Every structure is written in structure tokens, then in C-alpha cells.
Amino acid sequence: MFLGRLSARLWGGVAAAALAVAVTGCSASGGGSTTEAAACDSPGVTADQVKIGLVVTDSGPGSAAFDSARSGVDARIGLANQEGGIHGRQIVYEWRDDANSPSQNANVTTSLVQQDSVFGLLTVTAALGDSLDRLAAQQVPVVGFAQPDWGKYQNFFTYLYAASPDTIGRYIQASGGTKVAFVTTGTSAFTLQVMARYQAAFRAIGLGTTDAISYASSTDSPARVVQQISAAGADSMIGFTTSGDFAAIAQAARAAHLDLSSSVALTGYDHGLLPTLGPALSGVSFPVYFRPFEAGGAAIDRYRAAMTRFAPETFVPEQQFAMHAYIYTDMFLRGLELAGPCPTREGFISALRKVSNYDAGGLIAPINLGNNASQPLNCYAFVKINPAGNAFQVVHERLCADGTGN
């Protein structure tokens, strides 16, 4: 089910964003060298190219959430190759679908590393956990979507392990909320565990909370959920749900004239959802762990241009997992650049781990890749769907767990 293995993306990573020699956090802007690429014998490295592997959940439970991920990878690699590659080498990749299955993930990661001899892996999946011990023992660099406990692996890199729930609590308080209804799709053990962390954080800053109010679209009525919210005396809600489920509940709340000061969904910041779910989600807010698309700026312009040129099949580039994958790829390219003209896996891991202010070229707030696994993201952005349901609006470009921001 969507909120089983995949649910980690909703409230850590992807609900996503934290981001690498004390280089200025410049993204790997190609790193092309005018000198001839050195001959190396590292896996996946030839005189003119570096081959990496991509593992993505392209089928199976929750795969729709990752639909745009390959486009983000194509866009960032296309941009790097257009700018000369990394140290004169073009970047190519082989990709595999793990179907959100740990056993299939183990098979495809083994195939990519052993049969395809890739230098390292990009991963956009929540099913990687069982493969990480083996990949760490082989010192295979891995960059991608994370769950909080993956930070113990020195070969694994991401820009967001966990986001502070306090920040969302501050957002709800600033909107006038005093008691929060916790709405879930299903009641998996993982969902309830993460929800308990949010409940404790909310109570610590003075917010009341409800128990989990579960909703199953195949058997439940959203009106029943709204009745429970009202009976609990909640004046705001947060959704550990699919976008479709939260839309149904939000729509039912409006129909019942339930006056909620704020509604926060932990996933759904995709412009592609607006034509179908936008009106039902009007007024709903979303945390964003990278620079919001609507905030604009040079980094967003560069992303959009790369998506248009190198991933034209994605008609709507403003999708959260396209951006997540673009940033993962940028981080991997940064590691290759720092590893030097003749990169080794060990050199990649060592050099990238020393980056203290990685910002993906301005797409995220600078982070230290040496310790970000132990540092929850405390400051991030919030957007809201406008009353017409046809656009997102930036509410905060930066709000922090202590209530400060802009």
C-alpha cells in the first residue's frame, strides 16, 4: 500500500530537502575540462564517459509519485553533457525499476553494479534499505531519496534525511490553529510511528492533537472523517495521505462548512495535479524542501530550461520528484567533479563527504554533507493552492522551527 514502504517520502524526504571541500555550494556545472580525460580503470569510467546506474520505483505500489523522476535525471545530465561533461567525460546511465520491492531492489542494484559495472547509483525509491549494507561494503557511491536511518552509511548521500515537524507546527499556529486533526491513508505501523513524532512535536509547542483518523477511499466516506474532525474539536488538519484522499476530505470539509484555519498536506506539490485536484485542494498548504517554483530566480530558470530541452516529454516541469531527482543528480555530478580527472569510488565518497555548503546551485539552503544526516531540516518553505485551485502561491520562502523566517 502507498503508505507502507513508500510513506517515508511523505514526511522526510520528500515530503524533501536539505542539501555539499568547502566549495561554495556551486552545483556541478559540468566541470568540463579542456585537458584530455585521463585513462582510468574505475568501474564505469572510460576515456570519454562515466556510466552510472539509476534505480527508480517505476511500477508497483506508489509508483505514480515517482513518475517524473527520470525526467529530472535526464535534465541535469543533459545540461552537464551540454556543458562539456565532467572532466571531459560525458555522463550516461542505465536504469532499472525496483517495483517498490526490497527483493527486486537487491536484484537490480546487484545487476547494475556487477553486470553493468556502473560507477555509482542514483536512487529514487523507498525500497533501497535492504541493499545498503552490501553497497556500503563495496564502497559504491549512492545518492538519492532517503529514510532517516540511512544516514549511518558513509557511501550514501542525500540532501534531506528528515524535516523538523516543529516547523509545520509553527506554520499551523501562525495560521490560527490550536488543535490539529491527524488524517491518514491507512494505519501502517510506519505511518503511526512517524505520526507519533509529529504529535509529540506539536504538543511540545502548545498545539492540541487528535488520534489518527484513518480514511480508506474504497470503503470510507470523507464525510465520516469530517464528522470525526469536528467532534474532536480540531480547527486544523494535517494529512499523512495520498493527494487524492486529502482532496476528498478537504472538499467534504468545505461542504460541511467546517471552518479550518489551516490544512497541510505533506505531499502533492505538483503543478500536474492542479487540473484534476486543484479545486478540491484550494486553500491547502504544502511544505517545500527546495526553492519553490513560484519563487523564481536564476536556479529555477536553469532547471526549467534544462527540463524543456532535455526532458520535453514532461509537459509540466514543476513537479516535486522531477526536482528531487534533478538535485540528486546534481549532487552526484558534484561528487564526480571533486573526485578528479581519474575518479575512484573511494575518492568520490571522501571528497563529497567534505563538502560543507552544498546548495545545488541555489535550489536549496546550503547544507554540510559531513553531518546533515544528524541535522533535521529546521527551515523550509510553504506554498498554498489559491482559491481558484489553479495555481500555487508562496506563503513563506523560509519558515523555521523557532517561528522565525520570511
Side-chain angles (χ1 to χ4, degrees):
M1 183 62 187
F2 182 84
L3 289 177
R5 299 187 191 99
L6 188 62
S7 54
R9 77 175 182 85
L10 301 177
W11 17 93
V14 180
L19 287 176
V21 191
V23 204
T24 61
C26 254
S27 66
S29 58
S33 172
T34 57
T35 59
E36 185 176 354
C40 304
D41 59 1
S42 295
V45 181
T46 68
D48 59 1
Q49 71 176 32
V50 178
K51 180 167 64 175
I52 61 180
L54 168 65
V55 180
V56 63
T57 293
D58 195 56
S59 63
S63 58
F66 296 135
D67 277 350
S68 62
R70 280 187 62 202
S71 297
V73 174
D74 288 340
R76 188 63 190 89
I77 288 179
L79 189 60
N81 287 338
Q82 174 185 263
E83 295 173 347
I86 305 297
H87 293 294
R89 294 185 179 89
Q90 295 287 286
I91 309 302
V92 299
Y93 75 91
E94 298 282 344
W95 79 280
R96 299 287 186 274
D97 171 23
D98 71 2
N100 200 24
S101 160
S103 60
Q104 185 159 325
N105 183 279
N107 290 335
V108 299
T109 54
T110 298
S111 172
L112 286 166
V113 171
Q114 296 184 359
Q115 278 72 57
D116 293 289
S117 193
V118 298
F119 180 84
L121 296 173
L122 289 167
T123 58
V124 191
T125 173
L128 182 67
D130 291 351
S131 301
L132 282 171
D133 285 333
R134 172 177 46 81
L135 294 169
Q138 296 173 306
Q139 289 195 293
V140 177
V142 184
V143 180
F145 172 79
Q147 294 193 26
D149 61 344
W150 295 357
K152 63 186 176 183
Y153 297 100
Q154 283 298 297
N155 66 315
F156 183 85
F157 299 85
T158 191
Y159 66 96
L160 178 66
Y161 286 97
S164 170
D166 300 50
T167 308
I168 294 178
R170 296 295 186 190
Y171 179 82
I172 291 172
Q173 281 183 324
S175 302
T178 60
K179 186 173 184 180
V180 187
F182 279 68
V183 181
T184 70
T185 293
T187 55
S188 74
F190 180 85
T191 302
L192 295 178
Q193 178 184 3
V194 176
M195 190 192 72
R197 184 166 65 89
Y198 274 71
Q199 288 171 318
F202 284 12
R203 288 194 293 267
I205 63 172
L207 283 170
T209 65
T210 70
D211 292 332
I213 301 175
S214 177
Y215 173 67
S217 58
S218 59
T219 57
D220 281 347
S221 161
R224 190 270 307 167
V225 174
V226 171
Q227 289 172 354
Q228 284 189 258
I229 294 172
S230 178
D235 55 17
S236 50
M237 70 173 173
I238 183 170
F240 295 73
T241 63
T242 65
S243 297
D245 285 357
F246 201 76
I249 295 166
Q251 195 168 36
R254 281 193 298 274
H257 304 290
L258 183 63
D259 186 20
L260 296 176
S261 63
S262 63
S263 298
V264 178
L266 294 181
T267 187
Y269 179 45
D270 284 344
H271 286 213
L273 291 178
L274 292 174
T276 54
L277 296 180
L281 290 169
S282 65
V284 172
S285 299
F286 304 82
V288 183
Y289 308 114
F290 48 82
R291 183 171 179 81
F293 300 118
E294 295 73 22
I300 295 294
D301 291 344
R302 178 175 163 87
Y303 164 81
R304 285 193 174 112
M307 288 289 290
T308 299
R309 178 160 188 178
F310 301 111
E313 72 283 355
T314 304
F315 297 111
V316 181
E318 295 86 358
Q319 298 187 51
Q320 60 185 350
F321 268 93
M323 177 61 88
H324 289 323
Y326 182 94
I327 296 172
Y328 301 148
T329 309
D330 183 89
M331 186 182 292
F332 198 105
L333 297 178
R334 187 71 183 130
L336 275 178
E337 184 179 8
L338 292 173
C342 191
T344 65
R345 288 171 170 173
E346 295 84 354
F348 177 109
I349 294 167
S350 175
L352 194 55
R353 192 59 69 190
K354 294 174 184 175
V355 175
S356 61
N357 57 351
Y358 177 75
D359 72 350
L363 290 171
I364 60 169
I367 61 164
N368 184 344
L369 291 178
N371 66 8
N372 72 309
S374 62
Q375 304 291 324
L377 184 67
N378 287 316
C379 303
Y380 40 91
F382 286 84
V383 299
K384 179 187 288 189
I385 296 183
N386 68 3
N390 59 9
F392 291 92
Q393 300 172 328
V394 178
V395 182
H396 290 282
E397 282 195 28
R398 178 181 172 86
L399 181 67
C400 301
D402 62 1
T404 62
N406 58 34

